[in-house]
Amino acid sequence: MKRRLAQKDDRIELLIKIKDMMQDGVTRTKDIAASINRTERQTRRYLIEMSQMKMIQLTESKRLDKTSDQLKKQHFHILSKDEFVKIPEIRKWVDGCIARGVKASTINVLRNHLKFIFNYMSESPCNVLYSKKDSLDFWVRFASEFRQSRPTVGTHNYRAAYRNLLAAHDITFANRMGAVYGLSAKNDREAQYAGVHLTSKVTEKIGDLILQNNDFALYVWWRLGLRTGARSGALATMTWDKIYFDSDNFKLEQHETKDARGHFYLGENGEWKTKYLSEDMKKLLFQWKFVCPDKRFLWFADTSSDVQNRIRSRAVQTKMARGLKKYYSMVSDDVDSLTYHYMQKMPDHIMRHTLVQQMKNAGFTNEDIADSFGWRSADIVKNWYSKPSEKHLLDIASRAQDVKF
């Protein structure tokens, strides 16, 4: 009897140890099994037992339903085990990223780009970050070799990661001086798409095609994207309590994670942006509310888990993008090749571009658009999302006729 009680106590102690490990970010079954010296199969049985005891919660697929904190700690735990991160110069950079609140997933992406750079050159960061001159000489060698071997591949991701690393070691550039060393912050590909947009005629045609196919959810998504200019992540995580039907001026709020401003939602740091909309959008959303599958979210059923809700929101983004691309193919003859390429490449982001350009064509300034739809500055609207309106260009052409050459 005493032996059975002792075994039970040992088992409970083990389960508590597993839970403590999870709180510290060790949440992968493989890592837990290694830490407690058990097989993964045995460890999975422990997790099921813990779920039955209400110590943890499992998803429908019997995986751990992680909290946002556990998921972030898991990412940091995996990051800390990387041999590349253990290099002092890289560790200093990682610590700085964490201190600034950079997301672990973003750090991982940057780390992978940095690891590629140093592996490609068979060089260690400690031999490169010794001085500004050495750091810049190294980058010039890398960029030269990379461009010669892959002339059609851009270097934007590597530039962004390397500039970030240099900044952690107090190596920065005066305005536009980074370009002198091939370390410009400009994106290789996106600049060509500034001003790419859909005309009112094309957006109406796409909307009609969606309605003809009785896909009301996609139609609401389409109209919201065009009228708010929100990124797909902000669209996908919208909730009914942030749509103010009773307000004198109809408005809604969307959570953007592009900029971390201390507004936490579903475990992610971001910023709530308020958009004021027209009565036709109010009517459309009111119609959707009556057939919406959930009382909290606009597009999916609430799981009561931040992490799982994030996963569902990403599935919605994928589904909506796939649906839009199908209708975009039906209007390929109505747009130029550059626009069509961007529609297929960025099926949601084209709505953001369309909002800006159509507002600009209607006479709104870059400042008006930035203030109303959440851009950080008018320069971003000007440089990355729009081109001069056709009316403005025609006016210049008309006045140019009076100039004698």
Side-chain angles (χ1 to χ4, degrees):
M1 180 68 174
K2 289 182 179 179
R3 184 178 179 181
R4 285 200 300 270
L5 288 173
Q7 289 176 337
K8 184 177 180 180
D9 288 343
D10 289 343
R11 192 177 187 84
I12 293 296
E13 186 176 339
L14 178 61
L15 300 185
I16 292 174
K17 179 181 178 181
I18 293 174
K19 186 172 182 179
D20 289 342
M21 291 168 57
M22 290 178 172
Q23 294 300 328
D24 291 334
V26 184
T27 55
R28 295 194 304 179
T29 304
K30 178 181 179 180
D31 293 337
I32 295 172
S35 296
I36 63 175
N37 197 27
R38 300 290 195 281
T39 65
E40 290 186 44
R41 185 174 181 180
Q42 178 64 56
T43 303
R44 278 190 286 270
R45 286 201 292 267
Y46 289 149
L47 298 183
I48 293 173
E49 183 179 350
M50 292 172 70
S51 174
Q52 293 169 344
M53 297 170 64
K54 307 298 183 184
M55 295 177 68
I56 60 172
Q57 184 174 334
L58 299 180
T59 64
E60 294 177 357
S61 59
K62 301 301 180 184
R63 294 181 179 275
L64 177 65
D65 187 3
K66 303 165 190 173
T67 65
S68 296
D69 281 347
Q70 286 176 326
L71 190 61
K72 291 173 183 177
K73 287 179 180 179
Q74 174 187 310
H75 287 154
F76 288 129
H77 175 72
I78 295 171
L79 187 65
S80 66
K81 293 172 63 178
D82 188 341
E83 291 300 320
F84 182 69
V85 173
K86 293 178 181 178
I87 299 172
E89 290 77 8
I90 301 301
R91 183 73 251 181
K92 178 181 178 180
W93 164 72
V94 169
D95 287 342
C97 288
I98 295 173
R100 296 196 308 274
V102 179
K103 291 192 292 187
S105 56
T106 301
I107 299 174
N108 274 316
V109 171
L110 294 172
R111 175 207 58 182
N112 289 337
H113 293 320
L114 291 173
K115 185 185 292 188
F116 174 86
I117 292 171
F118 288 103
N119 286 344
Y120 188 85
M121 298 298 291
S122 300
E123 188 61 272
S124 171
C126 64
N127 297 328
V128 169
L129 299 170
Y130 185 78
S131 69
K132 184 172 185 177
K133 182 179 184 304
D134 291 335
S135 300
L136 294 177
D137 286 347
F138 171 77
W139 170 259
V140 170
R141 293 199 308 274
F142 165 76
S144 175
E145 291 192 23
F146 184 84
R147 288 186 183 279
Q148 289 181 67
S149 62
R150 306 181 187 187
T152 61
V153 180
T155 61
H156 172 72
N157 290 332
Y158 303 118
R159 278 186 276 123
Y162 195 67
R163 283 172 65 102
N164 202 298
L165 175 64
L166 293 184
H169 293 272
D170 302 318
I171 300 173
T172 56
F173 304 96
N175 188 33
R176 298 183 179 179
M177 283 303 296
V180 174
Y181 305 98
L183 277 168
S184 167
K186 290 184 178 180
N187 193 300
D188 291 316
R189 299 180 298 273
E190 299 307 318
Q192 65 177 312
Y193 297 113
V196 165
H197 71 288
L198 305 176
T199 65
S200 297
K201 183 178 179 180
V202 173
T203 59
E204 184 177 358
K205 184 175 181 178
I206 292 171
D208 289 342
L209 289 169
I210 296 173
L211 284 179
Q212 289 169 19
N213 204 37
N214 297 317
D215 194 344
F216 193 46
L218 182 61
Y219 181 75
V220 177
W221 176 277
W222 169 243
R223 296 306 303 170
L224 267 175
L226 290 172
R227 289 300 188 93
T228 65
R231 294 180 178 84
S232 57
L235 284 172
T237 54
M238 287 179 64
T239 55
W240 289 114
D241 65 324
K242 294 291 185 178
I243 300 177
Y244 304 98
F245 289 103
D246 296 330
S247 173
D248 292 336
N249 298 303
F250 179 54
K251 64 181 181 180
L252 53 78
E253 295 176 0
Q254 296 167 320
H255 189 259
E256 293 278 8
T257 58
K258 178 73 171 180
D259 298 309
R261 303 294 171 183
H263 301 172
F264 283 88
Y265 170 61
L266 298 182
E268 293 290 333
N269 195 353
E271 180 180 16
W272 285 107
K273 296 182 183 289
T274 302
K275 313 286 179 66
Y276 290 88
L277 302 180
S278 57
E279 284 297 314
D280 64 319
M281 285 304 301
K282 180 177 181 178
K283 181 180 178 181
L284 180 65
L285 284 169
F286 207 69
Q287 290 175 324
W288 175 237
K289 188 173 184 179
F290 279 103
V291 294
C292 177
D294 189 65
K295 293 182 178 179
R296 183 185 179 195
F297 293 99
L298 269 67
W299 318 105
F300 58 89
D302 185 11
T303 67
S304 298
S305 163
D306 286 352
V307 173
Q308 292 302 312
N309 284 335
R310 279 283 178 194
I311 291 173
R312 291 198 174 188
S313 76
R314 288 193 289 270
V316 167
Q317 294 173 58
T318 300
K319 177 183 177 181
M320 297 299 189
R322 188 181 299 120
L324 287 176
K325 288 170 73 172
K326 180 179 71 173
Y327 293 104
Y328 291 165
S329 298
M330 299 179 186
V331 298
S332 59
D333 293 337
D334 299 314
V335 298
D336 59 66
S337 59
L338 185 65
T339 301
Y340 184 69
H341 182 265
Y342 194 71
M343 292 164 71
Q344 293 295 326
K345 177 185 176 185
M346 304 289 283
D348 284 318
H349 216 68
I350 186 69
M351 296 187 289
R352 192 166 164 86
H353 280 250
T354 297
L355 165 76
V356 173
Q357 192 61 53
Q358 290 198 14
M359 291 285 289
K360 197 161 186 176
N361 291 346
F364 292 89
T365 66
N366 295 322
E367 289 77 9
D368 292 335
I369 298 169
D371 290 343
S372 298
F373 298 98
W375 274 273
R376 279 285 149 195
S377 72
D379 283 342
I380 295 175
V381 174
K382 175 184 176 183
N383 297 329
W384 296 102
Y385 285 92
S386 64
K387 60 184 179 182
S389 68
E390 185 175 294
K391 180 178 180 300
H392 179 68
L393 294 175
L394 289 173
D395 181 57
I396 292 175
S398 177
R399 287 187 286 118
Q401 293 179 23
D402 298 328
V403 178
K404 293 183 180 180
F405 294 93

